[in-house]
Amino acid sequence: MPPQPVLDPLPGPAPDLVSFAALMGRHFPGARVLIVPAAPMAPAAFGLTPAEQVPLLGLASLLGTEAHFYRDRPPASDLPPGADIPGACALIPLAGGEGRPLGWFAILLPGSHDFTPWERQDLDSFTHQLECMLQSAPGSPGCYSQLFELTFNQSSVGMALSAPDGRWLRANQSLCRLLGYPESQLIERDWQSMTHGADLAAEVRLFEQLLAGERQSYRLEKRLLRSDGTPHWVQLSVTLCRGRGPRQTHLIAVFTDIDDRKQAEQQLRQLQSRLEQQVAERTQALSRALAERDREMAERAQAQARLIEEKNRFQNMLDNSSAAFIEVNEQGRLCGWNPAASTLFGWQAEAVLGRPLTALFDPDSPFCKLLLSQDPQPRRQEVDIRDRDARLVQAEVMAESSQHGGRPSRFAFIHDISARRSVAQQLKQSKSRLKAIADNMPALIAQINPQQRYLYANRAYQEWFGVSSEQLYTMSVEDLIGPKAYGVAAPHLARALAGEELAFDTPFDTLQGERMVHSHYVPNPEPGTGLYILATDISELTELQRRLEHEAAHDALTGLPNRRAFSLRLERELARTRQGSGHLALLFIDLDGFKQLNDNLGHDFGDRVLRYFAKRLQACVRPGDMVARLAGDEFTLLLPDLGDPHREVHQVCERLLADLATTRELAGQPLRLTCSIGAALCPPGREMTLDTLLNQADGAMYRAKAAGKGRYALA
């Protein structure tokens, strides 16, 4: 097992140095820290064994008054013989007034690392804090405790100290608000009992590895159980600090609230799942409808092929006297009868020639009347004929008069059409069935030709647009859906007519109002013959998605943008400011005395006060400015594109304080509010991070509150 990290603190507990090391760990993940104050103070190491401290002590002898930054391991010439420092490191001197040396500190990072100008600026700020502590009270741990208490109590994230057995030792207000416990109740519990059962085993393994010295820290996302029993997602970072004795060994835990993000991710996943399921169902329904239509069309094509075959056979029969042929003379006696007639009716020619037609067939039948008619014009008629065995033959008769040697006669070509009638009946039934399926689909189903004119449309078109089938078949796609929707659909239509299957969403104006429609274009398998359209109404799904996105970015109580939406907007504005747009101002606002109002008059009244305060903030800013609620009674104003930033910020602050100074009645209670405002500016072209600007505004707000509340201060 590797040697355990050693902490050599100042006499007595030194939570300030622990806080300083934890701060380094948050800004530089994986960092290990060595602090060496001037005598008589003892050095403190975090994550470093005594053997690992030796090369740093040797390297510090070359330090002088300037900070040294090493991207990779320092050169061997700067180290004691045989010593090595793997990875990047920085050594920074500490000095008091008139350059009096106060010691130095070092930070080690794993692997190679370039210390950017902003990271060096942060290290300079941390160095200044440590110098102030050492200078104000050399050798006294009290000054360090003040730094630790300030960092611990004013942190915007939850922080806690815990014992190796899991008991809470301390918890700041941010963590207490997050979990819904006062600190007095929280320290009576341990973190194991407040961790969600599904997350406990994973953290216990990491915790045991930490205590065993197998790791210096760990980070994970888990659920904590609030006072009301509800789970709340946090991102947890835990660092082990070992002292000289077991009682000095403790753990530092930092909790970041990620519950809103987790809930939004879960809702978006559920919505995405529902959308995918809906699309899959609609696509499956379309596939079934298209498969049914293709099957019906295939059957019709097969029937048409059979009819063509029948027609060809009829032609061959006509050319080769294979068609049923009957001829009667002027006395109505049979004088013509070919083999096909024998086959059709069952009588051989020698048995029927010379006999009256009426001796074979019913005299009152349409067939006899047609063949014995004196009408000189050719006539075609479908009739039912009884053959020799009294079997009913469905026949098509083409009758015509002729003259043979001056003697009139009448002949007929007779075709058995029983099969054709059966096919026609089947086609009629198939077409009726397919039309019923399409008309009852909760979607628009249509076929258009290459000129984008309708060849077929189901009943939904009449319900959506109020046009009949007759009207629709005279219209183009643009005529029906209008220029606005057609402008979106036209490029997709062109691609689909070129053979590409695709889908897209667009709004349609219908009799029921505007609908958001998901359209699916399927090219006809035969090139150049048009395409099929399936369009489904997804208005409800679209509205649900929009509402969920709004809820994920807005505070449920006040309707203002929440921390997530505020952070995104601030990042955009900082990017614009870096590119040279106008000055950017951030106002951090804390409502004075809100906790007392909430405790004395109840949470419902407190909620009314927050909503009222939110409206007063909105009334005091310009269009385009952003008002957001971060948490509790903390609000922010974002003022972009300022021309005279100091004057305009003062005007906004004065206007807000004056507006709140007016006593108003709220829920039957006279109300006069005050607030403390901290303002921070970012000039054009300045490279500044979100956290830096927010910390500046937060610090200015606390200065205003310390000055007597109901005031504002500029960072």
Side-chain angles (χ1 to χ4, degrees):
M1 179 180 297
Q4 298 295 314
V6 176
L7 170 65
D8 293 322
L10 295 173
D16 49 304
L17 297 184
V18 174
S19 175
F20 183 83
L23 188 62
M24 294 296 98
R26 288 179 57 195
H27 280 74
F28 300 92
R32 296 183 292 168
V33 180
L34 174 64
I35 304 173
V36 183
M41 302 180 191
F46 299 87
L48 291 165
T49 65
E52 291 173 326
Q53 299 173 27
V54 172
L56 290 172
L57 294 171
L59 187 62
S61 64
L62 307 175
L63 184 61
T65 60
E66 297 294 329
H68 285 62
F69 297 90
Y70 297 93
R71 180 181 182 275
D72 297 299
R73 59 182 67 197
S77 59
D78 292 350
L79 296 171
D84 186 24
I85 300 177
C89 69
L91 280 78
I92 302 174
L94 303 170
E98 300 178 354
R100 179 169 57 90
L102 296 178
W104 55 276
F105 78 95
I107 175 171
L108 277 73
L109 300 177
S112 299
H113 182 79
D114 284 318
F115 290 88
T116 66
W118 296 110
E119 290 177 337
R120 298 190 184 197
Q121 183 176 342
D122 289 340
L123 286 172
D124 184 65
S125 176
F126 301 148
T127 301
H128 179 68
Q129 296 181 28
L130 191 56
E131 287 172 341
C132 290
M133 306 298 286
L134 296 173
Q135 187 173 223
S136 59
S140 171
C143 60
Y144 297 113
S145 298
Q146 293 175 8
L147 175 60
F148 175 81
E149 290 296 328
L150 183 64
T151 303
F152 188 87
N153 292 326
Q154 296 187 8
S155 174
S156 61
V157 298
M159 294 183 65
L161 302 179
S162 68
D165 60 1
R167 291 178 297 104
W168 302 103
L169 301 177
R170 294 219 29 210
N172 69 352
Q173 288 302 309
S174 294
L175 182 60
C176 292
R177 285 194 299 269
L178 181 69
L179 299 179
Y181 287 99
E183 186 179 17
S184 59
Q185 295 182 11
L186 193 59
I187 62 177
E188 295 176 358
R189 299 172 176 268
D190 56 45
W191 63 264
Q192 293 95 330
S193 64
M194 298 182 66
T195 298
H196 193 280
D199 303 331
L200 183 59
E203 186 174 5
V204 166
R205 286 194 299 271
L206 296 173
F207 186 78
E208 290 173 350
Q209 294 173 3
L210 190 66
L211 294 181
E214 298 176 8
R215 56 172 59 240
Q216 298 301 319
S217 62
Y218 67 82
R219 176 179 296 182
L220 79 162
E221 294 180 353
K222 72 170 188 175
R223 288 161 287 185
L224 287 174
L225 300 179
R226 293 173 46 83
S227 61
D228 58 4
T230 60
H232 199 91
W233 278 99
V234 298
Q235 184 181 70
L236 171 64
S237 298
V238 179
T239 302
L240 175 65
C241 299
R242 295 186 183 273
R244 292 185 179 276
R247 294 186 178 181
Q248 292 180 332
T249 299
H250 60 279
L251 299 98
I252 299 177
V254 180
F255 303 82
T256 303
D257 187 353
I258 61 172
D259 194 72
D260 288 344
R261 189 196 76 194
K262 285 288 187 179
Q263 292 186 16
E265 291 174 352
Q266 177 65 17
Q267 291 173 345
L268 288 175
R269 283 194 297 269
Q270 293 174 352
L271 175 60
Q272 181 67 24
S273 177
R274 288 197 296 271
L275 286 174
E276 291 175 352
Q277 181 179 358
Q278 290 284 345
V279 171
E281 292 174 352
R282 298 296 171 84
T283 302
Q284 187 176 11
L286 173 62
S287 298
R288 288 196 300 268
L290 291 177
E292 180 67 18
R293 182 180 181 87
D294 289 343
R295 187 184 66 78
E296 297 290 348
M297 292 181 66
E299 290 180 358
R300 184 170 66 179
Q302 293 174 3
Q304 290 174 344
R306 287 195 297 269
L307 289 174
I308 293 174
E309 183 181 353
E310 290 291 333
K311 181 179 179 180
N312 292 335
R313 185 166 63 249
F314 169 75
Q315 186 65 45
N316 292 332
M317 290 172 62
L318 180 64
D319 293 341
N320 298 283
S321 299
S322 59
F325 174 78
I326 296 177
E327 185 177 8
V328 296
N329 58 22
E330 57 185 342
Q331 289 82 30
R333 291 182 178 274
L334 290 164
C335 60
W337 186 276
N338 71 347
S342 298
T343 303
L344 182 61
F345 297 116
W347 291 286
Q348 297 300 316
E350 58 271 17
V352 299
L353 291 175
R355 296 179 62 183
L357 179 67
T358 55
L360 303 179
F361 303 102
D362 181 4
D364 295 324
S365 67
F367 174 66
C368 283
K369 292 180 179 180
L370 177 62
L371 199 54
L372 298 175
S373 172
Q374 300 300 315
D375 188 352
Q377 299 297 324
R379 290 185 59 193
R380 184 190 300 270
Q381 186 174 345
E382 292 183 3
V383 296
D384 293 337
I385 308 172
R386 295 287 178 179
D387 65 4
R388 179 179 180 179
D389 298 325
R391 180 178 62 88
L392 189 65
V393 178
Q394 296 176 335
E396 179 183 63
V397 180
M398 179 64 184
E400 188 174 348
S401 298
S402 64
Q403 294 282 335
H404 296 281
R407 299 178 64 179
S409 68
R410 193 165 176 82
F411 65 89
F413 288 98
I414 304 167
H415 304 277
D416 186 353
I417 61 170
S418 302
R420 191 177 72 185
R421 282 190 177 180
S422 176
V423 169
Q425 182 64 26
Q426 292 176 7
L427 287 175
K428 183 178 179 181
Q429 292 174 354
S430 297
K431 182 177 180 181
S432 176
R433 184 165 58 253
L434 181 59
K435 185 176 185 302
I437 292 173
D439 284 344
N440 287 280
M441 286 282 291
L444 300 176
I445 300 176
Q447 180 184 7
I448 64 172
N449 63 16
Q451 291 72 42
Q452 301 183 17
R453 305 196 77 84
Y454 288 92
L455 303 176
Y456 167 80
N458 69 342
R459 189 169 55 203
Y461 275 87
Q462 183 174 355
E463 297 171 355
W464 283 33
F465 300 103
V467 295
S468 65
S469 298
E470 293 75 12
Q471 292 174 310
L472 187 63
Y473 295 149
T474 66
M475 302 172 69
S476 67
V477 176
E478 183 176 9
D479 296 334
L480 181 68
I481 67 177
K484 178 182 176 182
Y486 182 75
V488 177
H492 302 286
L493 282 169
R495 291 165 56 192
L497 288 171
E500 179 181 355
E501 182 176 344
L502 51 86
F504 65 97
D505 299 338
T506 185
F508 276 8
D509 290 327
T510 70
L511 295 178
Q512 293 78 27
E514 185 176 84
R515 291 183 177 183
M516 179 57 68
V517 177
H518 178 77
S519 298
H520 190 182
Y521 291 167
V522 181
N524 194 309
E526 299 180 10
T529 57
L531 57 89
Y532 301 105
I533 297 175
L534 174 67
T536 55
D537 184 1
I538 60 170
S539 302
E540 293 183 2
L541 292 176
T542 303
E543 175 59 24
L544 176 60
Q545 183 177 12
R546 185 202 62 78
R547 187 165 64 251
L548 289 177
E549 290 174 351
H550 180 273
E551 291 173 356
H554 288 77
D555 174 47
L557 177 63
T558 63
L560 294 176
N562 59 15
R563 178 182 292 273
R564 177 175 176 268
F566 163 76
S567 298
L568 292 174
R569 173 72 184 276
L570 181 53
E571 290 285 7
R572 290 197 301 269
E573 295 298 340
L574 286 171
R576 291 181 63 242
T577 303
R578 284 194 294 269
Q579 295 172 0
S581 65
H583 288 76
L584 174 66
L586 171 63
L587 275 61
F588 197 101
I589 304 171
D590 186 83
L591 190 58
D592 296 331
F594 175 72
K595 184 178 184 303
Q596 184 177 0
L597 282 173
N598 209 32
D599 293 343
N600 294 341
L601 299 177
H603 293 295
D604 288 342
F605 185 79
D607 290 346
R608 289 174 179 267
V609 170
L610 292 175
R611 287 193 291 267
Y612 164 78
F613 185 60
K615 290 180 179 178
R616 302 317 310 159
L617 289 176
Q618 290 175 303
C620 293
V621 297
R622 309 167 300 173
D625 295 342
M626 184 182 195
V627 181
R629 181 188 179 201
L630 299 188
D633 56 351
E634 296 179 350
F635 295 79
T636 58
L637 293 183
L638 197 59
L639 310 176
D641 299 321
L642 298 178
D644 187 350
H646 289 83
R647 180 181 61 81
E648 294 178 66
V649 168
H650 283 297
Q651 288 177 348
V652 171
C653 294
E654 293 289 352
R655 184 163 59 248
L656 177 58
L657 293 175
D659 182 82
L660 294 177
T662 303
T663 301
R664 295 180 174 87
E665 185 174 290
L666 182 65
Q669 296 285 342
L671 181 67
R672 182 176 181 272
L673 299 176
T674 63
C675 65
S676 299
I677 307 172
L681 298 176
C682 180
R686 174 72 179 274
E687 186 78 24
M688 184 175 292
T689 65
L690 179 150
D691 289 337
T692 300
L693 189 62
L694 192 59
N695 289 338
Q696 290 181 2
D698 185 47
M701 183 275 291
Y702 277 104
R703 290 199 303 274
K705 189 177 287 290
K709 303 182 180 181
R711 303 170 183 273
Y712 63 91
L714 186 63

